[in-house]
Amino acid sequence: MAVALGLGLPQTRQYHLGRDIPDVARAAEATGYESLWVFERILFPEPARQGLYGVDGLPWPDHYRGAADPLVTLTLAAAATQRARLGTSVLVAPLHGPFQLARTLATLDAASGGRVVAGLGTGWSHDEYAAASVRPFEERGRALDEVIAVCRAVWGPDPVSYDGDITRIAPSVVGPKPARPIPVLLAGSSRKAMTRLVDHADGWLPVAAGIDQLRAQRRQLEDLAAERGRTRPIRTVLRANARHSARAHQTAGRRPLHGSVDQIVEDLAAYATTGPDEIIVDLQSTLRDAHELQDVATEVYEKARAAGI
C-alpha cells in the first residue's frame, strides 16, 4: 500500500497569503495530496540569542521571517478544499492558551467536516516562550501535558470540567464539538517525549533528518510502547523538509532532500522504507512563488507515485 502524501502549505514571505494559500490547497487536493500541513514560528529574533533548535551557532533560516499564523493558514485551506486532512507539524502548544486552542481546533474540525490533525510539540525557542508562552520554558513539558488534557476534555461530552495548574473550567457546555475525535500527534525523540506520546497521543511526528537515526528512533518508540503495554497502533507522519533546485547535480556530497525533483523523490523513496504511514513534503522555502510551488509539488507527487511511494 502506498504511503499517504501531504504537502506543506505556503506560509513564508514570498507568498501572497490570501490568494496563494487557497490556490495551492485546491491544486494540491486536485493533484492527489491527501493532507495539507502548516508549521509554527511566531517571531524571528534579531540578533538571535539562541541558535536554531537551540544549537549554538546554528543560524535561523531566512524563511522563518514572518511565517503566517498556522491556524489562520489552515482555515483558508479548509474553505478551499473538501477532502484533504488539515494538520499542524508542529504547533508549539505552550505558546497557546489551552482552552482557547482546544476550542479553535474543535471549531475548525467541525467546519471542515472532521479533517483536523493536531500535531503538537514543545518547541525550543526561548524568545518565543518569552513573548507568548503560558509557562516558563523550563516547564514546557507540563504545559504540553495540560494542553492535551484540556483538549480531550473540551472535545468530549458536556458538561466539560477541568481543574489544572493554569486552566480551570467550571462544569459548562462548550461547543462546537469536533466532527469526530481529533487525532493528537506529538513530536519529539527523547525518552520523556516518547513516553508522553505512547501514553497520551495517537501518533508520532518525526523529521527526516537521517534514515539510520529515524530507524533507531522508531525502534526506541516501539520498545517503549511494548514496555508500557500499548497495543493501539502509533501512526507515523514524517516531515520531509525539501529544498528544490532544478540545477542540482547528483554528487556524493549532496544533502538528502536537496536537489532536483528526481533527487528529492529518490530520497523520499528511501525514507518510505522506514515505514511511515504518511510523508509531509514541504517545498515552500526555496521556491519563488505559488506557481512554482504548484508545479514542483505536482511533479513530486506524480513521480513519487510512479516510483511506488
Side-chain angles (χ1 to χ4, degrees), residues 83-302:
R83 300 178 306 279
R85 292 185 300 277
L86 307 163
T88 58
S89 175
V90 295
L91 208 65
V92 184
L95 304 184
H96 301 262
F99 182 77
Q100 292 90 337
L101 178 60
R103 288 201 68 244
T104 299
L105 291 170
T107 301
L108 182 56
D109 191 74
S112 66
R115 293 191 281 147
V116 170
V117 180
L120 309 177
T122 57
W124 47 267
S125 170
H126 292 275
D127 288 302
E128 290 184 334
Y129 269 74
S133 69
V134 296
R135 281 181 177 272
F137 182 80
E138 294 74 20
E139 298 178 16
R140 59 195 181 278
R142 291 175 62 191
L144 176 56
D145 289 338
E146 185 150 331
V147 167
I148 296 170
V150 170
C151 283
R152 301 290 195 200
V154 168
W155 300 340
D158 293 322
V160 173
S161 62
Y162 183 84
D163 188 4
D165 293 336
I166 56 176
T167 307
R168 290 177 173 80
I169 308 171
S172 305
V173 173
V174 181
K177 298 298 183 185
R180 92 295 190 223
I182 297 176
V184 174
L185 280 59
L186 297 181
S189 57
S190 69
R191 182 177 177 85
K192 190 170 185 178
M194 286 189 171
T195 299
R196 176 183 294 112
L197 191 162
V198 167
D199 291 349
H200 300 296
D202 301 294
W204 179 39
L205 285 168
V207 176
I211 289 176
D212 291 342
Q213 180 185 39
L214 181 61
R215 290 189 192 279
Q217 290 172 349
R218 175 179 284 281
R219 286 193 299 270
Q220 180 185 3
L221 183 62
E222 290 172 349
D223 291 345
L224 190 58
E227 175 186 318
R228 300 184 71 81
R230 174 166 174 152
T231 57
R232 187 163 51 100
I234 296 173
R235 182 171 181 82
T236 300
V237 179
L238 177 67
R239 168 172 275 276
N241 296 316
R243 305 289 182 266
H244 174 262
S245 172
R247 297 180 298 277
H249 299 289
Q250 186 75 45
T251 64
R254 183 181 66 85
R255 295 176 62 189
L257 297 168
H258 287 56
S260 67
V261 167
D262 288 340
Q263 291 167 339
I264 289 170
V265 170
E266 179 182 335
D267 294 334
L268 292 174
Y271 274 106
T273 66
T274 66
D277 299 285
E278 187 164 1
I279 299 177
I280 305 164
V281 184
D282 197 320
L283 296 154
Q284 66 182 296
S285 65
T286 55
L287 301 181
R288 292 187 304 271
D289 54 32
H291 295 296
E292 188 176 23
L293 176 55
Q294 289 179 40
D295 289 346
V296 174
T298 298
E299 188 177 0
V300 167
Y301 182 87
E302 291 174 347

